């Protein structure tokens, strides 16, 4: 009888542990934010080789980090970012991309951010004519 109680207690503890682990899973949070068209930045800053994901206004972006040297240390010095689906970009404006750049810069202050097509062309085209592209970060 006491063995049955111990097994039941262990099962309950396992279920509670599994539920907490599921609720705190950052990949699930990213998917939920993507569905709700909210901002979420999912990244493993300790692993430079692992790409990060950002969801903003229902668009999922992926960023690739490159390690380099700064004056004091080895850090992420270059980031390429692109949308996973270009069709999802409908309705986005320049300020949305500047917001994303600002959030990336908060995590990686020494990184130069480069967009891949078609966002790169859009950002260059929407800059005022005769005026070079200036980061507003």
């Amino acid at each position: 009888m006491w063995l049955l109680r111990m097994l039941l207690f262990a099962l309950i503890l396992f279920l509670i542990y599994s539920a907490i682990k599921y609720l705190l899973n950052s990949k699930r949070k990213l998917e939920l934010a993507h569905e709700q068209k909210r901002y979420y930045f999912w990244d493993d800053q300790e692993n430079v080789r692992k790409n990060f994901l950002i969801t903003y206004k229902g668009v999922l972006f992926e960023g690739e980090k490159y390690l380099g040297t700064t004056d004091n240390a080895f850090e992420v010095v270059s980031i390429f970012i692109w949308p996973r689906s270009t069709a999802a970009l409908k309705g986005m404006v320049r300020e949305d991309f500047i917001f994303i750049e600002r959030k990336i810069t908060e995590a990686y202050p020494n990184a130069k951010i480069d967009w891949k097509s078609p966002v790169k062309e859009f950002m260059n085209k929407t800059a005022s004519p005769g005026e070079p592209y200036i980061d507003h970060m």
Side-chain angles (χ1 to χ4, degrees):
M1 186 70 168
W2 63 271
L3 182 62
L4 183 61
R5 287 182 183 168
M6 288 296 284
L7 287 174
L8 187 59
F9 183 70
L11 178 66
I12 291 171
L13 284 178
F14 176 74
L15 290 175
I16 291 171
Y17 170 77
S18 297
I20 290 172
K21 189 168 177 136
Y22 173 76
L23 291 174
L24 298 178
N25 186 341
S26 59
K27 187 76 166 176
R28 186 193 65 81
K29 289 180 183 178
L30 174 76
E31 292 168 359
L32 184 63
H34 183 67
E35 289 173 8
Q36 295 175 350
K37 298 186 177 189
R38 292 185 294 119
Y39 167 79
Y40 190 78
F41 184 51
W42 185 66
D43 183 26
D44 181 4
Q45 289 189 344
E46 299 301 317
N47 188 352
V48 177
R49 302 184 74 179
K50 193 171 187 180
N51 292 354
F52 63 81
L53 297 171
I54 294 178
T55 182
Y56 183 66
K57 291 190 174 181
V59 182
L60 188 62
F61 296 93
E62 185 169 354
E64 191 170 8
K65 307 175 273 191
Y66 292 95
L67 190 66
T69 57
T70 61
D71 292 336
N72 300 327
F74 284 94
E75 295 189 28
V76 174
V77 295
S78 180
I79 293 176
F80 286 96
I81 186 168
W82 64 93
R84 284 250 178 115
S85 168
T86 55
L89 293 173
K90 185 177 189 285
M92 291 196 75
V93 295
R94 187 171 198 272
E95 288 75 25
D96 295 330
F97 299 109
I98 292 172
F99 172 81
I100 293 169
E101 287 180 359
R102 192 176 313 119
K103 290 298 186 178
I104 294 170
T105 303
E106 288 175 9
Y108 299 103
N110 297 315
K112 178 183 180 286
I113 300 169
D114 291 313
W115 292 91
K116 291 188 178 179
S117 268
V119 178
K120 180 179 183 177
E121 289 80 9
F122 174 73
M123 293 296 281
N124 290 334
K125 186 171 83 172
T126 58
S128 301
E131 189 178 295
Y133 171 70
I134 300 170
D135 256 344
H136 299 291
M137 292 187 268

